[in-house]
Amino acid sequence: MGQIVGAAIVSHHPGLMQCEEFRVLQGAGSDSDLIAGYRRVRERIAAANPDIVVLFDSHWFTTGYHLIDAGSAYRGTYISDEMPWYLFGVPYEYRGHPGFARSVEAVARERGVQSRAIGNPDLPRHYPTINVIKQMQLEAWPVVTVSSCQNCEPRHFLQSGEVIGEAIARSDLRVLLLASGALSHRFNGIDWKPNHPRIFHESNVSSVANIASDKQAIELMKEGRHDLIVENWDRDYRRVPWEAFGAHYLQMIGAMGAGACKAQGEVLSAYENARGTGNVHVWFDTERRGDE
């Protein structure tokens, strides 16, 4: 029987892919702790010893279906159409796991959930996948990417995650889950002036209210109170909103039991700004019970 051996919500923010000199200059001499945090998350992943990594990509927007990447391997050079002036020329090469992706589709068909596996080798890549693979050297494991279906309600994301969780349980795989995306996701304007000279500092997040909302969610994650996050999603988090309307987090938690999940979060980075959005790395040890 397969199992989820760990999970994390991680930032993919593209500024972290800029050269060291540029990042230090932007940060007034202080670099982002998210970068050091990648090393901390990577250590947890290696210790969990997964067979595959399932990555929920908050930029892979799809319509009509939750899609699971069923490619066997990907190789190329990435350029971002969003920020091509600095996020370009990034080589990537990693394996997929078609068998697992197809098993997710099989479970989805049984349950009437709109999830499909796509194995087209020309399927484009997105930087929430590429940046995280590069920063944490995930090439060591097969990586299966899951989309964020844009015409979904929160319950649909939870259902997508539940299907993935069932496919894991039916397998013989040790699976690591990564939700690649921000919490609050409102950008500062193009002519925005930083509130703090350290560009990544939390006070540069788009609003005081969003900072408070993000920190509330982080505290609930630390306590393993995913039930309160899920139950109050529409009131507290959808209105903020989170990146991809929380598709990455909700699918990850859906795979782990949704509101019944008690996995306590360990914060592995500072909470930081990325052009107004709230970013953090939080690790969930799925073998540690919140009631122990």
Side-chain angles (χ1 to χ4, degrees):
M1 182 175 180
Q3 60 179 314
I4 297 170
V5 296
I9 184 167
V10 293
S11 171
H12 58 242
H13 104 65
L16 305 185
M17 297 299 286
Q18 295 171 359
C19 68
E20 182 76 11
E21 180 182 7
F22 184 85
R23 284 189 279 103
V24 170
L25 286 173
Q26 275 209 326
S30 181
D31 207 352
S32 167
D33 187 57
L34 292 167
I35 295 172
Y38 281 126
R39 293 192 292 271
R40 300 173 196 131
V41 178
R42 177 58 161 75
E43 290 172 358
R44 300 298 197 284
I45 294 173
N49 190 30
D51 297 313
I52 67 169
V53 174
V54 172
L55 189 151
F56 301 96
D57 188 316
S58 54
H59 280 212
W60 183 16
F61 290 113
T62 56
T63 307
Y65 285 101
H66 309 283
L67 297 184
I68 305 94
D69 189 345
S72 59
Y74 288 97
R75 180 180 184 182
T77 302
Y78 179 75
I79 179 170
S80 165
D81 58 356
E82 182 183 353
M83 287 153 292
W85 61 93
Y86 72 80
L87 190 48
F88 68 92
V90 181
Y92 62 87
E93 184 174 5
Y94 66 94
R95 297 166 290 154
H97 198 297
F100 177 74
R102 300 294 180 194
S103 70
V104 174
E105 178 175 330
V107 175
R109 289 184 182 277
E110 286 179 18
R111 297 188 172 192
V113 174
Q114 302 292 89
S115 297
R116 297 292 180 267
I118 301 295
N120 192 314
D122 296 325
L123 196 65
R125 307 291 85 196
H126 302 276
Y127 68 72
T129 293
I130 298 301
N131 285 7
V132 169
I133 287 175
K134 297 295 288 185
Q135 286 285 353
M136 294 195 289
Q137 300 175 321
L138 299 182
E139 299 93 343
W141 300 281
V143 178
V144 175
T145 299
V146 178
S147 77
S148 298
C149 183
Q150 63 185 340
N151 58 326
C152 287
E153 298 295 324
R155 63 185 174 86
H156 298 125
F157 294 128
L158 293 171
Q159 288 170 356
S160 170
E162 289 166 3
V163 163
I164 291 168
E166 177 61 21
I168 292 170
R170 295 184 188 183
S171 75
D172 59 356
L173 298 170
R174 296 172 56 83
V175 180
L176 189 286
L177 305 178
L178 290 180
S180 180
L183 305 187
S184 64
H185 198 253
R186 192 180 82 190
F187 290 112
N188 291 322
I190 194 169
D191 56 355
W192 164 77
K193 303 299 181 185
N195 299 316
H196 193 285
R198 277 188 55 209
I199 197 70
F200 301 121
H201 193 271
E202 67 176 52
S203 64
N204 289 326
V205 170
S206 58
S207 74
V208 172
N210 282 4
I211 294 170
S213 176
D214 287 348
K215 290 192 171 184
Q216 171 184 271
I218 291 168
E219 287 303 311
L220 290 173
M221 290 178 190
K222 288 165 62 176
E223 297 169 7
R225 294 306 307 269
H226 303 282
D227 56 331
L228 296 181
I229 297 177
V230 170
E231 289 169 9
N232 298 307
W233 186 264
D234 286 344
R235 186 193 70 189
D236 292 341
Y237 305 110
R238 189 174 186 180
R239 294 180 182 179
V240 171
W242 282 22
E243 184 162 16
F245 294 99
H248 54 314
Y249 168 79
L250 291 172
Q251 290 183 100
M252 178 185 73
I253 288 300
M256 297 163 66
C261 176
K262 302 297 183 185
Q264 295 176 335
E266 179 182 1
V267 177
L268 294 183
S269 76
Y271 168 72
E272 293 187 350
N273 161 71
R275 196 66 196 191
T277 68
N279 291 258
V280 71
H281 303 322
V282 183
W283 172 263
F284 302 100
D285 185 346
T286 57
E287 296 181 350
R288 181 181 62 194
R289 300 289 301 180
D291 53 359
E292 287 182 351

